[in-house]
Structure formats: structure tokens, C-alpha cells
Amino acid sequence: MRLIITLLFSFVFGISGLNAQDFPLQFADASGNVIADGTELTLDQPTNEVSDFGEEIIMYSGVFVLNTTADAVNCGTDYSITQISNGALQTCFPINCIQRRKVGSWSSEVGTINGNELKNMQTEWLPEGAGTLDAEFQLLKYKLNPVTSKYTVEAEGPTIKMHFVYDPAAIRTLDGKDAISSISYYSLDGQKVASPAHGIYLMKVTYTNGQTVTSKHLF
């Protein structure tokens, strides 16, 4: 009975059970290196920027989305804020920038990412004081229903967690807008791997100012 119900659910709603590694879209760094499914990034590099509206503090995620196929993909995200001290989380993927100031879960608008495109998520925390913000994103692939002319979820992809930490004493100024330059993974014996499998790995994050931070993660 459970098998029948599961098959019926899949048929009615059309949601694919693609493995995260087989999903056409992947989270990536500014260099196009894939960020493994389930990665939790600690983002503690505040930037002080001056605009027409005055000075503001921005905590850039530096996270991109890479289309690993040659075909355009209709996509979006499910995302949530599980903890926020102050300020707003802004995300601009796949289209239009939206700010959220409270704990909750939402779905983005549907947009298109071209074949082999590396697209900046433009996701950042705009803090108003010291504190933290925790958010989680999951990539979604959509298909257009020819009958209703509406988009429905076709497949669910990888997830990533962002843990922002703002310490006013750590403010710096960047030449570019992406705090993270690259992310790479290593086995415990120091061997670089393209993508971690199940187990414990070292994650090396390199920032645009040359700073590197290495942390241990369980996948």
C-alpha cells in the first residue's frame, strides 16, 4: 500500500527524486567550483560600502548557481530563515531582489538560467547591529504546465546553509562584491577531492582579500 501511495504521489505531483549530484543546477563559488550538497557556510566577513544612500554594512554570501548542462533550466529556490538577530536577508535569485526580516519559509519566483551559466545569487545579510542570521536554500527545477500555463516543481535539488556572523570590529572594505573567491574540499589526509562523499572532509574557503579559512565538515 505504501508503494502504491508513493507512486501515485509522484505521478500526480510530478516531483522527481533526482540525486543531488545529478541535478542540473549546483551551488558554486565565484570560480565555478561546486559547493557540495548539505554544506554549511560560516560567513563572517562584513563589508562597509558607501552608496547614494550613505554607508551600509553588507555580509556577502559569495554563492553562485551553476547550470552544469547546455540547456536552459526553469528554476527557483525554497528558502527559510531559522534565526535572525536584526536587519534583513536579501536574495536576488533567480530574478528580482526580495528582502525578508523575520523567521519563516518562502519560495522564490521562477526564472531561467541559461546553459552553462554561472549566476550570482546576490544573497546577503544587511545587518543593523551585531548578531547572527541562519538561512537555508534548496534549488528547484520547474516545468511549465501547458494546460494551466503555470509552473510546477519538477525536481528538488541540493541544499546549502548560510550562517552569517556580524562583529562590528571585523569591518573591512572589498574591491569587489563577492566575499568568497573559491571553495575547495580535501580528505583528512590532505588529498583534494572534486566533491565530498559521505564522511568527514576539510573545507577551505578563500576570500577575495586572500584570507583562507579551513573547517571540518561531516557529509
Side-chain angles (χ1 to χ4, degrees):
M1 179 62 72
R2 179 177 297 177
L3 177 60
I4 295 175
I5 293 175
T6 302
L7 291 175
L8 179 61
F9 180 88
S10 299
F11 175 78
V12 173
F13 293 96
I15 299 177
S16 169
L18 282 177
N19 185 286
Q21 283 75 21
D22 299 327
F23 195 77
L25 306 180
Q26 297 292 325
F27 292 109
D29 61 29
S31 301
N33 300 310
V34 171
I35 301 174
D37 177 39
T39 293
E40 180 173 347
L41 292 175
T42 296
L43 305 160
D44 57 1
Q45 304 294 306
T47 301
N48 187 7
E49 291 198 354
V50 179
S51 66
D52 294 337
F53 304 100
E55 292 188 5
E56 60 180 346
I57 302 300
I58 303 178
M59 306 285 294
Y60 290 108
S61 70
V63 175
F64 289 66
V65 174
L66 174 65
N67 185 348
T68 63
T69 72
D71 300 320
V73 176
N74 295 319
C75 63
T77 62
D78 277 346
Y79 65 101
S80 61
I81 298 175
T82 57
Q83 193 279 135
I84 181 170
S85 298
N86 55 66
L89 176 74
Q90 177 170 274
T91 182
C92 305
F93 181 86
I95 56 174
N96 299 328
C97 294
I98 298 176
Q99 291 188 5
R100 305 290 184 182
R101 292 180 170 270
K102 61 182 181 180
V103 170
S105 298
W106 304 272
S107 295
S108 73
E109 298 177 85
V110 180
T112 301
I113 182 169
N114 296 323
N116 301 310
E117 181 181 359
L118 178 65
K119 189 169 186 177
N120 193 341
M121 287 187 70
Q122 299 183 58
T123 297
E124 54 259 353
W125 178 31
L126 311 174
E128 297 170 349
T132 59
L133 183 151
D134 294 323
E136 181 172 348
F137 289 80
Q138 181 175 34
L139 292 172
L140 303 174
K141 180 183 179 184
Y142 284 88
K143 62 180 178 181
L144 183 63
N145 187 316
V147 177
T148 64
S149 296
K150 294 182 178 180
Y151 287 102
T152 57
V153 177
E154 181 179 8
E156 299 174 340
T159 62
I160 189 173
K161 293 181 180 180
M162 300 180 187
H163 175 58
F164 293 91
V165 181
Y166 172 46
D167 175 5
I171 294 177
R172 63 194 178 88
T173 300
L174 292 179
D175 293 330
K177 289 189 175 182
D178 302 305
I180 294 178
S181 175
S182 65
I183 296 175
S184 52
Y185 300 90
Y186 299 84
S187 60
L188 293 181
D189 61 1
Q191 298 298 312
K192 188 174 183 179
V193 296
S195 180
H198 293 296
I200 299 175
Y201 291 84
L202 299 176
M203 182 175 70
K204 180 181 178 182
V205 179
T206 302
Y207 293 92
T208 51
N209 67 343
Q211 179 186 3
T212 62
V213 177
T214 301
S215 55
K216 189 179 295 184
H217 290 261
L218 174 63
F219 292 93

